[in-house]
Amino acid sequence: MLRFSTWKFLAIVAMTVAAVLVVAPSMLSPSHYEELKSRLPSWLTPPTIVLGLDLQGGSHVTLEVDQADLISTQVKNLRDDVRRILREEKVAISGGIGTTTRGVQVRVADPADREKVLPKLRLLRNSFSGALLGGPSPLDVEASPDGVIRVTVTDAGITDKSRKAVEQSIEVIRRRVDALGTREPSIQRQGDDRVLVQVPGLQDPETLKEILGKTAKLEFRLVADPGQNPSEVEELDQVEQEGKLGVEKQVMVKGEDLTDAQPGFDQQRSGEPVVNFRFNIRGAQAFGEVTSKNVGRLFAIILDNKIISAPRILSPITGGSGQISGRFTVEQANNLAILLRAGALPAKLNIVEERTVGPGLGQDSIDAGKRAAYVGAGLVVVYMLVTYGVFGVFANLALFVHIAFIFAGLVLLGSTLTLPGIAGIVLTIGMAVDSNVLIYERIREENHAGRSILASLDAGFTRAFATIVDSNVTMFVAAAILYFLGSGPVRGFAVSLALGILTTIVTAVTMTRMMIAVWYHYARPTKLPI
């Protein structure tokens, strides 16, 4: 058991050297790291340990779905669906489609027409996932004797839409934050209607609020003609000038058909910052059709229910691309392009909590973590030296390699190191040494029982190995449960703990045994030093 082949010895040495090389860039100061990056090609840029919000500072924002806006959007969608069904069934109504706080109502005088549209209206509930899963009805459809049909969104429907809005918002927010160039943002769901966003390293919360606070719902609508039916016109605020402007309620082209949006400059006129956009095939066809049929009319570009600009259609635009101008600054044009590329949020999100963690506080956390790690490791090193002598030296060397392996694993996995993660590393230091203690105490017992040195060493590693594996597997299962059921800092603790458990098997057992084998081969001791 104490014989090691050359390839095993070289493999362990190579792993140790590789771990040190992977961790080394993270130990450099920011200036030295940037200098190293400048001297290497981009594909060879060494990765570093990503520090969490509690270590390097950053921005923390909690967003909540605006229930009023969500209900308003649902009512508008419901009104459009009801209008579509009435047109498809060719049902005449009196007084138009009215809206209530949570739904719409329409008067259908003919009983035959009512019996024809009611089943179609009840099918609208299938657009809610709760109805498909057998939950409470998300829509309440009822008809009164006087011919009034009311379609109302229930509490279950609002809860379902809030939950779905949060799920969709997380993906949109992630795309927006990633476009800022930040590293390892944490975007998590909280309850049914909240999203927690943490962006390490971003010390400007206003930029984050600007990106997250806008719904970025882009629409293209025709400006209403004088004398047009008021029920088909909506008055919206203008960004470029004072007052409101009437636009048609019908959306001609939606922003969801955009495939790309990039900031640029107007090359033909003022040279001011603009946003160039491009549609997919469906959007290009719709855009080309509406501009072909409405040459000479004003075409409003609307973002979050505000008119950015309303240029006149001079000729058909069939190329599937266009330009948004609105007296933007360069930063505003860039942020708008990010919003449009990432897509619109399904509902308005309100900021209910925001805070900025300064780098000074992060540095204090790093210093405290370092002190804890240094003190813990120092006490362990002294204890092992005093108790086990030369065998303690082997355990301490294996311990340092163990720590290097953990940090190398964090770098290669791209995991974020948080303050709880440092606590997990400190914990694994004690666990790694505990494995050595089990082995050494077993060796001591075998030797006191009268066995030879070589037999004692062999029995110590062999018989203690099962106990070490059992204890580490138990801890690994606990770490896995923390990772899959926890979130944020808890998962950071679980990652560092799991890495420490895996590397313990390599360092405390294999590496220690290799060093003892080399020592025994050259020293040929007559008695054990423990």
Side-chain angles (χ1 to χ4, degrees), residues 451-487:
R451 305 188 68 173
S452 66
I453 295 177
L454 187 59
S456 298
L457 294 175
D458 183 35
F461 281 100
T462 303
R463 298 183 179 181
F465 183 74
T467 304
I468 294 171
V469 170
D470 287 343
S471 63
N472 281 280
V473 166
T474 303
M475 290 298 296
F476 188 84
V477 170
I481 293 174
L482 287 175
Y483 181 84
F484 288 110
L485 299 184
S487 62

Side-chain angles (χ1 to χ4, degrees), residues 22 35 45 47 53 70 87 127 139 148 153 240 274 322 358 417 464 469:
V22 169
E35 182 180 355
T45 301
L53 187 72
L70 184 68
R87 286 176 179 174
S127 61
L139 285 180
V148 176
V153 183
E240 291 189 349
V274 296
L417 179 62
V469 170

Side-chain angles (χ1 to χ4, degrees), residues 307-503:
I307 300 173
I308 297 178
S309 61
R312 189 175 300 276
I313 303 174
L314 301 178
S315 61
I317 304 174
T318 57
S321 61
Q323 186 181 93
I324 301 176
S325 60
R327 297 179 183 176
F328 303 127
T329 63
V330 174
E331 182 179 3
Q332 288 172 337
N334 182 63
N335 288 344
L336 177 57
I338 290 174
L339 294 174
L340 297 181
R341 286 199 305 272
L345 290 169
K348 182 180 179 182
L349 298 178
N350 295 325
I351 298 175
V352 295
E353 180 190 3
E354 61 172 295
R355 65 175 183 265
T356 302
V357 180
L361 180 59
Q363 189 59 47
D364 290 343
S365 299
I366 294 175
D367 293 340
K370 284 182 177 179
R371 285 194 296 270
Y374 292 156
V375 171
L379 292 175
V380 168
V381 167
V382 171
Y383 173 82
M384 295 301 290
L385 287 175
V386 172
T387 307
Y388 298 109
V390 67
F391 279 18
V393 174
F394 299 151
N396 292 333
L397 291 176
L399 177 63
F400 292 131
V401 176
H402 163 77
I403 296 173
F405 280 170
I406 293 177
F407 282 109
L410 291 174
V411 173
L412 296 177
L413 293 176
S415 299
T416 302
L417 179 62
T418 61
L419 194 58
I422 294 178
I425 294 174
V426 174
L427 176 61
T428 60
I429 290 175
M431 293 173 56
V433 172
D434 180 63
S435 299
N436 288 116
V437 171
L438 288 174
I439 295 171
Y440 293 165
E441 290 299 324
R442 187 69 187 188
I443 292 173
R444 180 180 286 170
E445 290 177 4
E446 295 293 334
N447 186 247
H448 289 171
R451 305 188 68 173
S452 66
I453 295 177
L454 187 59
S456 298
L457 294 175
D458 183 35
F461 281 100
T462 303
R463 298 183 179 181
F465 183 74
T467 304
I468 294 171
V469 170
D470 287 343
S471 63
N472 281 280
V473 166
T474 303
M475 290 298 296
F476 188 84
V477 170
I481 293 174
L482 287 175
Y483 181 84
F484 288 110
L485 299 184
S487 62
V490 174
R491 299 187 76 178
F493 174 82
V495 169
S496 60
L497 181 61
L499 285 174
I501 292 170
L502 293 175
T503 58

Side-chain angles (χ1 to χ4, degrees), residues 71-83:
I71 294 172
S72 175
T73 301
Q74 287 305 114
V75 170
K76 289 180 181 178
N77 294 336
L78 200 56
R79 181 189 60 196
D80 293 341
D81 289 336
V82 171
R83 181 182 289 112

